[in-house]
Amino acid sequence: MMVKESYELAKKEYEKWGINVDEVLQQLQQVPISIHCWQGDDVGGFEVNKGELSGGIDVTGNYPGKARTPEELRSDLEKALSLIPGKHRVNLHAIYAETNGEVVERDRLEPKHFENWVNWAKEHGNLGLDFNPTLFSHEKSADGLTLSHPDPEIREFWINHCIASRKIAEYFGKELGTPALTNVWIPDGYKDVPSDRLTPRVRLKESLDKIFQVEIDEQYNIDAVESKLFGIGSEAYVVGSHEFYMGYALKNNKLCLLDTGHYHPTEMVSNKISSMLLYSDKLALHVSRPVRWDSDHVVTLDDELKEISLEIVRNDALDKVMIGLDFFDASINRVAAWTIGTRNMIKSLLYAMLVPNNHLKQLQEEGNFTERLALMEEFKTYPFGAIWDYYCEQMGVPVKETWLEDVKKYEKEVLSQR
Protein backbone atom coordinates (compact mmCIF):
# COMPACT_ATOMS: atom_id res chain seq x y z
CA MET A 1 0.00 0.00 0.00
CA MET A 2 1.31 3.45 -0.90
CA VAL A 3 2.19 5.99 1.78
CA LYS A 4 -0.63 8.32 0.74
CA GLU A 5 -3.24 5.56 0.80
CA SER A 6 -2.14 4.38 4.24
CA TYR A 7 -2.27 7.95 5.44
CA GLU A 8 -5.84 8.47 4.25
CA LEU A 9 -7.00 5.31 6.01
CA ALA A 10 -5.22 6.22 9.24
CA LYS A 11 -6.51 9.78 9.03
CA LYS A 12 -10.10 8.50 9.12
CA GLU A 13 -9.37 6.62 12.34
CA TYR A 14 -8.24 9.81 14.05
CA GLU A 15 -10.97 11.97 12.57
CA LYS A 16 -13.53 9.84 14.40
CA TRP A 17 -12.18 11.49 17.55
CA GLY A 18 -12.27 15.01 16.14
CA ILE A 19 -8.55 15.14 15.40
CA ASN A 20 -7.74 17.19 12.29
CA VAL A 21 -4.61 15.38 11.10
CA ASP A 22 -3.74 17.92 8.40
CA GLU A 23 -3.74 20.68 11.01
CA VAL A 24 -1.63 18.51 13.31
CA LEU A 25 1.04 18.12 10.63
CA GLN A 26 1.04 21.85 9.93
CA GLN A 27 1.49 22.51 13.64
CA LEU A 28 4.26 19.93 13.94
CA GLN A 29 6.25 21.72 11.23
CA GLN A 30 6.41 24.78 13.48
CA VAL A 31 8.11 22.98 16.39
CA PRO A 32 11.92 23.29 16.23
CA ILE A 33 14.20 20.85 18.01
CA SER A 34 17.60 22.18 19.06
CA ILE A 35 20.09 19.56 17.85
CA HIS A 36 23.31 19.42 19.85
CA CYS A 37 26.50 19.70 17.80
CA TRP A 38 28.60 17.73 20.32
CA GLN A 39 27.19 14.34 19.28
CA GLY A 40 29.27 14.69 16.11
CA ASP A 41 32.70 14.78 17.75
CA ASP A 42 32.20 13.26 21.22
CA VAL A 43 32.17 16.66 22.99
CA GLY A 44 35.66 17.39 21.68
CA GLY A 45 35.42 20.93 20.36
CA PHE A 46 38.06 22.85 18.42
CA GLU A 47 40.14 24.62 21.05
CA VAL A 48 43.79 24.93 20.07
CA ASN A 49 44.87 24.02 23.59
CA LYS A 50 42.07 21.57 24.40
CA GLY A 51 42.53 19.09 27.19
CA GLU A 52 40.89 15.85 28.19
CA LEU A 53 37.13 15.62 28.61
CA SER A 54 36.22 16.22 32.24
CA GLY A 55 33.47 17.53 34.48
CA GLY A 56 31.65 14.28 35.10
CA ILE A 57 31.19 13.72 31.36
CA ASP A 58 32.11 10.45 29.70
CA VAL A 59 31.75 9.40 26.07
CA THR A 60 32.19 5.71 25.31
CA GLY A 61 33.03 4.06 22.01
CA ASN A 62 35.34 4.79 19.11
CA TYR A 63 33.22 4.41 15.99
CA PRO A 64 35.21 5.52 12.93
CA GLY A 65 34.52 8.84 11.20
CA LYS A 66 34.43 11.32 14.08
CA ALA A 67 34.41 14.93 12.90
CA ARG A 68 37.85 16.50 13.36
CA THR A 69 37.26 20.00 12.01
CA PRO A 70 34.43 22.54 11.97
CA GLU A 71 33.90 21.83 8.28
CA GLU A 72 33.54 18.10 8.89
CA LEU A 73 31.16 18.67 11.79
CA ARG A 74 28.97 21.00 9.75
CA SER A 75 28.97 18.53 6.86
CA ASP A 76 27.81 15.77 9.20
CA LEU A 77 25.11 18.02 10.62
CA GLU A 78 23.92 18.83 7.11
CA LYS A 79 23.58 15.14 6.34
CA ALA A 80 21.60 14.52 9.53
CA LEU A 81 19.34 17.53 8.93
CA SER A 82 18.59 16.24 5.42
CA LEU A 83 17.12 13.09 7.00
CA ILE A 84 15.02 14.81 9.67
CA PRO A 85 11.62 16.35 8.83
CA GLY A 86 11.04 19.99 9.71
CA LYS A 87 13.20 23.05 10.26
CA HIS A 88 15.28 22.89 13.39
CA ARG A 89 18.04 24.56 15.39
CA VAL A 90 21.66 23.73 16.21
CA ASN A 91 23.02 23.96 19.74
CA LEU A 92 26.68 24.94 20.18
CA HIS A 93 29.12 24.86 23.09
CA ALA A 94 31.77 27.54 23.54
CA ILE A 95 34.52 25.01 22.73
CA TYR A 96 33.29 24.98 19.12
CA ALA A 97 34.77 28.43 18.51
CA GLU A 98 37.01 28.88 15.46
CA THR A 99 40.10 30.92 16.30
CA ASN A 100 42.28 30.26 13.23
CA GLY A 101 44.98 28.52 15.22
CA GLU A 102 45.21 31.24 17.86
CA VAL A 103 44.93 30.36 21.54
CA VAL A 104 41.94 32.31 22.83
CA GLU A 105 40.99 31.80 26.46
CA ARG A 106 37.31 31.18 27.08
CA ASP A 107 36.78 34.44 28.92
CA ARG A 108 38.01 36.24 25.79
CA LEU A 109 35.76 34.58 23.23
CA GLU A 110 33.90 36.94 20.90
CA PRO A 111 31.18 36.74 18.24
CA LYS A 112 33.84 36.77 15.52
CA HIS A 113 34.93 33.31 16.63
CA PHE A 114 31.50 31.98 15.60
CA GLU A 115 31.04 33.87 12.32
CA ASN A 116 31.44 30.67 10.30
CA TRP A 117 28.63 29.03 12.25
CA VAL A 118 26.34 32.01 11.66
CA ASN A 119 27.16 32.12 7.94
CA TRP A 120 26.50 28.39 7.70
CA ALA A 121 23.17 28.79 9.53
CA LYS A 122 22.15 31.53 7.10
CA GLU A 123 23.05 29.37 4.11
CA HIS A 124 20.72 26.67 5.42
CA GLY A 125 17.58 28.74 5.74
CA ASN A 126 18.44 30.78 8.82
CA LEU A 127 18.72 27.87 11.19
CA GLY A 128 18.45 29.08 14.74
CA LEU A 129 21.55 28.70 16.90
CA ASP A 130 21.61 28.12 20.66
CA PHE A 131 24.61 28.36 22.96
CA ASN A 132 26.26 26.97 26.08
CA PRO A 133 29.26 28.31 27.97
CA THR A 134 31.71 25.43 28.48
CA LEU A 135 32.65 25.16 32.15
CA PHE A 136 34.40 21.79 31.96
CA SER A 137 37.47 20.23 30.34
CA HIS A 138 39.72 23.12 31.42
CA GLU A 139 42.60 23.62 33.82
CA LYS A 140 40.51 26.10 35.80
CA SER A 141 37.84 23.44 36.40
CA ALA A 142 40.25 20.58 37.12
CA ASP A 143 39.21 20.33 40.78
CA GLY A 144 35.52 20.16 39.84
CA LEU A 145 34.61 23.71 40.86
CA THR A 146 33.95 26.79 38.70
CA LEU A 147 31.36 29.45 39.57
CA SER A 148 31.30 28.24 43.18
CA HIS A 149 35.09 28.00 43.55
CA PRO A 150 36.63 29.36 46.79
CA ASP A 151 39.26 31.21 44.71
CA PRO A 152 37.75 34.54 43.56
CA GLU A 153 40.09 34.73 40.55
CA ILE A 154 38.84 31.39 39.23
CA ARG A 155 35.25 32.43 39.83
CA GLU A 156 35.90 35.69 37.98
CA PHE A 157 37.32 33.80 35.00
CA TRP A 158 34.18 31.70 34.67
CA ILE A 159 31.89 34.67 35.30
CA ASN A 160 33.55 36.50 32.41
CA HIS A 161 33.28 33.39 30.24
CA CYS A 162 29.52 33.22 30.85
CA ILE A 163 29.13 36.93 30.11
CA ALA A 164 31.08 36.49 26.88
CA SER A 165 28.86 33.54 26.00
CA ARG A 166 25.69 35.56 26.45
CA LYS A 167 27.08 38.23 24.12
CA ILE A 168 27.86 35.59 21.52
CA ALA A 169 24.29 34.30 21.81
CA GLU A 170 22.99 37.86 21.42
CA TYR A 171 24.97 38.04 18.18
CA PHE A 172 23.29 34.81 17.02
CA GLY A 173 19.85 36.25 17.77
CA LYS A 174 20.50 39.49 15.93
CA GLU A 175 22.01 37.82 12.87
CA LEU A 176 19.49 35.00 12.51
CA GLY A 177 16.27 36.69 13.60
CA THR A 178 15.48 34.18 16.33
CA PRO A 179 16.61 34.40 19.97
CA ALA A 180 19.34 32.03 21.12
CA LEU A 181 18.90 30.05 24.30
CA THR A 182 22.03 30.39 26.45
CA ASN A 183 22.14 27.60 28.98
CA VAL A 184 24.47 27.64 32.00
CA TRP A 185 25.46 24.24 33.34
CA ILE A 186 28.40 23.75 35.69
CA PRO A 187 30.05 20.56 37.01
CA ASP A 188 30.58 21.89 40.54
CA GLY A 189 30.32 19.42 43.36
CA TYR A 190 32.12 17.07 45.72
CA LYS A 191 32.90 13.36 45.50
CA ASP A 192 32.34 12.82 49.22
CA VAL A 193 29.88 14.17 51.76
CA PRO A 194 30.52 17.91 52.25
CA SER A 195 30.90 19.57 55.61
CA ASP A 196 29.26 22.74 54.28
CA ARG A 197 26.59 22.69 51.60
CA LEU A 198 25.55 26.31 51.91
CA THR A 199 28.72 28.32 51.26
CA PRO A 200 29.35 26.97 47.72
CA ARG A 201 25.72 27.74 46.87
CA VAL A 202 26.10 31.27 48.20
CA ARG A 203 29.10 31.73 45.90
CA LEU A 204 27.22 30.24 42.95
CA LYS A 205 24.30 32.60 43.52
CA GLU A 206 26.64 35.59 43.69
CA SER A 207 28.40 34.49 40.50
CA LEU A 208 25.13 34.10 38.63
CA ASP A 209 23.99 37.51 39.84
CA LYS A 210 27.14 39.06 38.35
CA ILE A 211 26.67 37.21 35.07
CA PHE A 212 23.08 38.36 34.66
CA GLN A 213 23.80 41.95 35.72
CA VAL A 214 24.92 42.45 32.14
CA GLU A 215 21.59 43.15 30.48
CA ILE A 216 20.90 41.57 27.10
CA ASP A 217 17.62 42.01 25.23
CA GLU A 218 15.52 38.82 25.38
CA GLN A 219 14.59 39.55 21.78
CA TYR A 220 18.03 38.12 20.99
CA ASN A 221 19.00 35.94 23.97
CA ILE A 222 17.11 33.88 26.51
CA ASP A 223 18.94 32.74 29.65
CA ALA A 224 18.51 29.32 31.20
CA VAL A 225 20.10 27.47 34.12
CA GLU A 226 20.45 23.69 34.33
CA SER A 227 20.62 21.47 37.39
CA LYS A 228 22.10 18.04 38.01
CA LEU A 229 21.70 15.38 40.68
CA PHE A 230 25.25 13.99 40.61
CA GLY A 231 28.18 13.38 38.30
CA ILE A 232 31.40 11.44 38.10
CA GLY A 233 33.51 13.06 40.80
CA SER A 234 30.51 14.79 42.37
CA GLU A 235 28.56 11.78 43.57
CA ALA A 236 27.76 13.09 47.04
CA TYR A 237 26.95 16.74 46.37
CA VAL A 238 26.23 19.01 43.41
CA VAL A 239 26.16 22.75 44.09
CA GLY A 240 23.63 23.50 41.34
CA SER A 241 20.83 21.19 42.43
CA HIS A 242 17.31 21.23 41.01
CA GLU A 243 16.01 23.10 44.04
CA PHE A 244 18.77 25.70 43.78
CA TYR A 245 18.16 26.45 40.12
CA MET A 246 14.39 26.23 40.28
CA GLY A 247 14.42 28.88 43.01
CA TYR A 248 16.97 31.00 41.20
CA ALA A 249 15.11 30.83 37.89
CA LEU A 250 11.77 31.76 39.42
CA LYS A 251 13.17 34.63 41.47
CA ASN A 252 15.28 36.07 38.64
CA ASN A 253 13.00 35.46 35.67
CA LYS A 254 15.29 32.92 34.00
CA LEU A 255 14.34 29.66 32.35
CA CYS A 256 14.81 26.49 34.34
CA LEU A 257 16.24 23.83 32.04
CA LEU A 258 15.34 20.23 32.88
CA ASP A 259 17.73 17.59 31.58
CA THR A 260 16.09 14.17 31.55
CA GLY A 261 19.32 12.52 32.68
CA HIS A 262 19.97 14.80 35.64
CA TYR A 263 17.59 13.33 38.19
CA HIS A 264 17.20 10.23 40.31
CA PRO A 265 16.57 7.18 38.07
CA THR A 266 12.96 6.91 39.29
CA GLU A 267 12.29 10.66 39.05
CA MET A 268 10.49 11.56 35.81
CA VAL A 269 10.88 14.93 34.11
CA SER A 270 7.48 14.42 32.46
CA ASN A 271 5.90 14.72 35.91
CA LYS A 272 7.60 18.08 36.53
CA ILE A 273 6.48 19.91 33.39
CA SER A 274 2.93 20.84 34.41
CA SER A 275 4.06 22.09 37.83
CA MET A 276 6.89 24.16 36.39
CA LEU A 277 4.61 25.75 33.80
CA LEU A 278 2.27 26.95 36.55
CA TYR A 279 4.98 29.31 37.74
CA SER A 280 7.08 29.92 34.61
CA ASP A 281 6.05 31.37 31.27
CA LYS A 282 8.60 29.16 29.54
CA LEU A 283 10.61 26.04 30.24
CA ALA A 284 13.60 24.43 28.54
CA LEU A 285 14.43 20.74 28.11
CA HIS A 286 17.51 18.72 27.30
CA VAL A 287 16.13 15.37 26.24
CA SER A 288 18.46 12.44 26.75
CA ARG A 289 18.09 8.79 27.74
CA PRO A 290 19.71 7.85 31.02
CA VAL A 291 20.46 4.16 31.53
CA ARG A 292 20.94 3.70 35.28
CA TRP A 293 22.73 7.06 35.47
CA ASP A 294 23.25 10.21 33.38
CA SER A 295 24.71 8.14 30.54
CA ASP A 296 23.28 10.24 27.69
CA HIS A 297 22.19 7.39 25.44
CA VAL A 298 20.54 8.15 22.10
CA VAL A 299 16.89 9.05 22.56
CA THR A 300 14.50 6.22 21.77
CA LEU A 301 10.71 6.24 21.47
CA ASP A 302 10.19 4.94 24.98
CA ASP A 303 7.37 5.57 27.43
CA GLU A 304 9.04 8.53 29.14
CA LEU A 305 9.70 10.31 25.85
CA LYS A 306 6.04 9.87 24.88
CA GLU A 307 4.95 11.10 28.30
CA ILE A 308 7.14 14.21 28.03
CA SER A 309 5.54 15.05 24.69
CA LEU A 310 2.06 14.31 25.99
CA GLU A 311 2.63 16.74 28.86
CA ILE A 312 3.77 19.44 26.43
CA VAL A 313 0.91 18.88 23.99
CA ARG A 314 -1.99 18.28 26.36
CA ASN A 315 -1.07 21.43 28.31
CA ASP A 316 -0.95 23.52 25.13
CA ALA A 317 2.73 24.28 25.75
CA LEU A 318 4.37 23.72 22.37
CA ASP A 319 5.28 27.41 22.28
CA LYS A 320 6.29 27.45 25.96
CA VAL A 321 8.76 24.57 26.09
CA MET A 322 12.07 24.94 24.27
CA ILE A 323 13.11 21.41 23.31
CA GLY A 324 16.78 20.53 22.93
CA LEU A 325 18.61 17.22 22.77
CA ASP A 326 21.68 16.15 24.74
CA PHE A 327 23.20 12.75 24.11
CA PHE A 328 26.56 11.54 22.85
CA ASP A 329 27.21 8.01 21.69
CA ALA A 330 30.53 7.16 20.05
CA SER A 331 29.74 3.45 19.76
CA ILE A 332 27.56 3.90 16.66
CA ASN A 333 27.57 6.04 13.53
CA ARG A 334 27.27 9.59 14.85
CA VAL A 335 25.13 10.89 11.98
CA ALA A 336 22.76 7.97 12.58
CA ALA A 337 22.67 8.84 16.29
CA TRP A 338 21.52 12.39 15.50
CA THR A 339 18.96 11.08 13.02
CA ILE A 340 17.53 8.41 15.31
CA GLY A 341 17.30 10.67 18.35
CA THR A 342 15.81 13.69 16.61
CA ARG A 343 13.33 11.71 14.54
CA ASN A 344 12.20 10.01 17.74
CA MET A 345 11.70 13.34 19.49
CA ILE A 346 9.51 14.51 16.61
CA LYS A 347 7.68 11.16 16.46
CA SER A 348 6.80 11.46 20.13
CA LEU A 349 5.34 14.93 19.58
CA LEU A 350 3.28 13.64 16.67
CA TYR A 351 2.09 10.71 18.79
CA ALA A 352 0.99 13.13 21.51
CA MET A 353 -0.80 15.39 19.03
CA LEU A 354 -2.79 12.41 17.71
CA VAL A 355 -4.30 11.56 21.09
CA PRO A 356 -7.79 12.93 22.00
CA ASN A 357 -6.35 14.76 24.98
CA ASN A 358 -9.37 16.95 25.71
CA HIS A 359 -11.70 13.96 25.76
CA LEU A 360 -9.38 12.08 28.08
CA LYS A 361 -9.20 15.10 30.39
CA GLN A 362 -12.99 15.20 30.51
CA LEU A 363 -13.19 11.52 31.41
CA GLN A 364 -10.81 12.13 34.29
CA GLU A 365 -12.85 15.08 35.56
CA GLU A 366 -15.98 12.91 35.43
CA GLY A 367 -14.26 10.15 37.35
CA ASN A 368 -14.65 7.75 34.43
CA PHE A 369 -11.32 6.03 34.96
CA THR A 370 -12.34 2.81 33.20
CA GLU A 371 -12.91 4.49 29.85
CA ARG A 372 -9.89 6.75 30.38
CA LEU A 373 -7.55 3.79 30.83
CA ALA A 374 -9.14 1.82 28.01
CA LEU A 375 -8.74 4.65 25.50
CA MET A 376 -5.24 5.57 26.62
CA GLU A 377 -4.20 1.97 25.98
CA GLU A 378 -6.03 1.62 22.66
CA PHE A 379 -4.43 4.76 21.25
CA LYS A 380 -1.02 3.23 21.78
CA THR A 381 -1.69 1.01 18.76
CA TYR A 382 -3.55 3.50 16.59
CA PRO A 383 -1.85 3.87 13.17
CA PHE A 384 0.26 6.93 13.91
CA GLY A 385 3.13 5.30 11.99
CA ALA A 386 1.21 5.82 8.74
CA ILE A 387 0.80 9.51 9.63
CA TRP A 388 4.52 9.75 10.38
CA ASP A 389 5.47 8.17 7.05
CA TYR A 390 3.28 10.64 5.18
CA TYR A 391 4.75 13.55 7.13
CA CYS A 392 8.29 12.46 6.22
CA GLU A 393 7.31 12.09 2.55
CA GLN A 394 5.68 15.53 2.50
CA MET A 395 8.74 17.08 4.14
CA GLY A 396 11.05 15.54 1.57
CA VAL A 397 12.98 13.19 3.87
CA PRO A 398 13.31 9.39 3.71
CA VAL A 399 10.34 7.30 4.83
CA LYS A 400 10.74 4.56 7.42
CA GLU A 401 14.21 3.03 7.64
CA THR A 402 15.25 4.05 4.12
CA TRP A 403 17.30 6.89 5.63
CA LEU A 404 19.81 4.24 6.69
CA GLU A 405 20.87 3.83 3.07
CA ASP A 406 21.78 7.53 2.94
CA VAL A 407 23.86 7.16 6.11
CA LYS A 408 25.61 4.05 4.82
CA LYS A 409 26.47 5.83 1.58
CA TYR A 410 27.73 8.86 3.49
CA GLU A 411 29.82 6.63 5.74
CA LYS A 412 31.38 4.88 2.76
CA GLU A 413 32.07 8.04 0.78
CA VAL A 414 32.89 10.52 3.57
CA LEU A 415 33.28 9.15 7.08
CA SER A 416 35.48 6.18 6.17
CA GLN A 417 37.92 8.52 4.42
CA ARG A 418 38.79 10.38 7.62
Side-chain angles (χ1 to χ4, degrees), residues 13 24-25 36 42 54 78 95 101 193 202 208 227 237 244 251-252 256 265 267 376 388 395 401-402 408:
E13 293 292 306
V24 163
L25 296 187
H36 55 309
D42 310 338
S54 67
E78 287 171 25
I95 54 174
V193 179
V202 170
L208 292 170
S227 67
Y237 168 76
F244 174 91
K251 187 171 183 179
N252 295 280
C256 192
E267 194 175 6
M376 287 172 69
W388 167 255
M395 298 301 293
E401 70 281 358
T402 57
K408 289 176 183 177

Side-chain angles (χ1 to χ4, degrees), residues 7 23 29 36 40 42 51 70 98 147 159-160 235 263 268 305 329 345 354 362 364 375 379 381 409:
Y7 170 73
E23 286 185 2
Q29 286 184 43
H36 55 309
D42 310 338
E98 296 174 64
L147 292 177
I159 288 168
N160 288 334
E235 289 85 355
Y263 295 88
M268 298 303 177
L305 185 67
D329 190 342
M345 185 69 244
L354 292 172
Q362 183 180 342
Q364 179 170 304
L375 290 178
F379 266 85
T381 52
K409 185 172 183 285

Side-chain angles (χ1 to χ4, degrees), residues 147-148 155 159 203-211:
L147 292 177
S148 69
R155 288 202 307 278
I159 288 168
R203 289 195 290 260
L204 174 56
K205 179 183 180 299
E206 290 173 349
S207 294
L208 292 170
D209 288 345
K210 289 182 179 179
I211 291 166

Side-chain angles (χ1 to χ4, degrees), residues 48-112:
V48 176
N49 56 337
K50 69 179 179 181
E52 295 295 316
L53 189 62
S54 67
I57 296 169
D58 190 19
V59 180
T60 55
N62 191 28
Y63 197 91
K66 178 173 74 171
R68 302 161 299 180
T69 67
E71 292 76 19
E72 289 181 350
L73 184 59
R74 285 191 282 266
S75 172
D76 294 351
L77 275 164
E78 287 171 25
K79 174 51 66 176
L81 287 165
S82 74
L83 306 173
I84 297 164
K87 181 180 176 182
H88 302 290
R89 306 175 65 86
V90 171
N91 198 4
L92 301 175
H93 248 284
I95 54 174
Y96 291 86
E98 296 174 64
T99 62
N100 296 317
E102 179 187 355
V103 175
V104 178
E105 272 296 354
R106 295 184 193 173
D107 63 338
R108 296 290 181 261
L109 287 172
E110 299 178 49
K112 67 181 181 181

Side-chain angles (χ1 to χ4, degrees), residues 300-336:
T300 58
L301 193 61
D302 59 13
D303 287 344
E304 173 61 359
L305 185 67
K306 290 179 182 177
E307 203 62 32
I308 286 170
S309 290
L310 280 165
E311 282 296 296
I312 295 170
V313 170
R314 65 166 61 118
N315 292 307
D316 195 24
L318 283 168
D319 61 344
K320 299 175 184 176
V321 179
M322 304 178 75
I323 305 171
L325 303 179
D326 187 3
F327 52 79
F328 27 89
D329 190 342
S331 69
I332 64 174
N333 181 295
R334 294 170 183 83
V335 175

Side-chain angles (χ1 to χ4, degrees), residues 39-258:
Q39 164 59 54
D41 75 332
D42 310 338
V43 206
F46 305 121
E47 286 182 313
V48 176
N49 56 337
K50 69 179 179 181
E52 295 295 316
L53 189 62
S54 67
I57 296 169
D58 190 19
V59 180
T60 55
N62 191 28
Y63 197 91
K66 178 173 74 171
R68 302 161 299 180
T69 67
E71 292 76 19
E72 289 181 350
L73 184 59
R74 285 191 282 266
S75 172
D76 294 351
L77 275 164
E78 287 171 25
K79 174 51 66 176
L81 287 165
S82 74
L83 306 173
I84 297 164
K87 181 180 176 182
H88 302 290
R89 306 175 65 86
V90 171
N91 198 4
L92 301 175
H93 248 284
I95 54 174
Y96 291 86
E98 296 174 64
T99 62
N100 296 317
E102 179 187 355
V103 175
V104 178
E105 272 296 354
R106 295 184 193 173
D107 63 338
R108 296 290 181 261
L109 287 172
E110 299 178 49
K112 67 181 181 181
H113 299 125
F114 292 87
E115 283 181 2
N116 289 341
W117 284 104
V118 168
N119 291 335
W120 174 79
K122 288 178 178 178
E123 290 167 7
H124 292 80
N126 267 26
L127 288 170
L129 292 178
D130 295 313
F131 203 63
N132 305 261
T134 307
L135 292 94
F136 53 84
S137 301
H138 192 278
E139 61 181 10
K140 284 186 168 64
S141 64
D143 59 0
L145 297 173
T146 61
L147 292 177
S148 69
H149 204 287
D151 186 336
E153 289 188 6
I154 291 179
R155 288 202 307 278
E156 193 68 18
F157 174 85
W158 291 115
I159 288 168
N160 288 334
H161 172 55
C162 290
I163 292 170
S165 295
R166 296 176 69 228
K167 291 179 179 178
I168 291 165
E170 179 184 36
Y171 160 68
F172 291 168
K174 287 180 178 178
E175 289 291 319
L176 299 171
T178 175
L181 177 72
T182 302
N183 176 55
V184 176
W185 174 80
I186 63 173
D188 298 36
Y190 293 117
K191 181 180 179 65
D192 217 334
V193 179
S195 54
D196 176 9
R197 291 182 173 88
L198 178 61
T199 302
R201 287 177 173 150
V202 170
R203 289 195 290 260
L204 174 56
K205 179 183 180 299
E206 290 173 349
S207 294
L208 292 170
D209 288 345
K210 289 182 179 179
I211 291 166
F212 297 130
Q213 275 175 3
V214 178
E215 293 187 11
I216 293 178
D217 194 334
E218 287 191 5
Q219 180 181 351
Y220 305 118
N221 173 69
I222 300 171
D223 295 307
V225 287
E226 176 184 358
S227 67
K228 192 165 186 176
L229 175 67
F230 83 99
I232 298 172
S234 58
E235 289 85 355
Y237 168 76
V238 168
V239 182
S241 64
H242 174 68
E243 293 77 12
F244 174 91
Y245 279 127
M246 182 171 68
Y248 190 90
L250 290 172
K251 187 171 183 179
N252 295 280
N253 195 31
K254 304 300 177 187
L255 265 65
C256 192
L257 187 145
L258 309 179

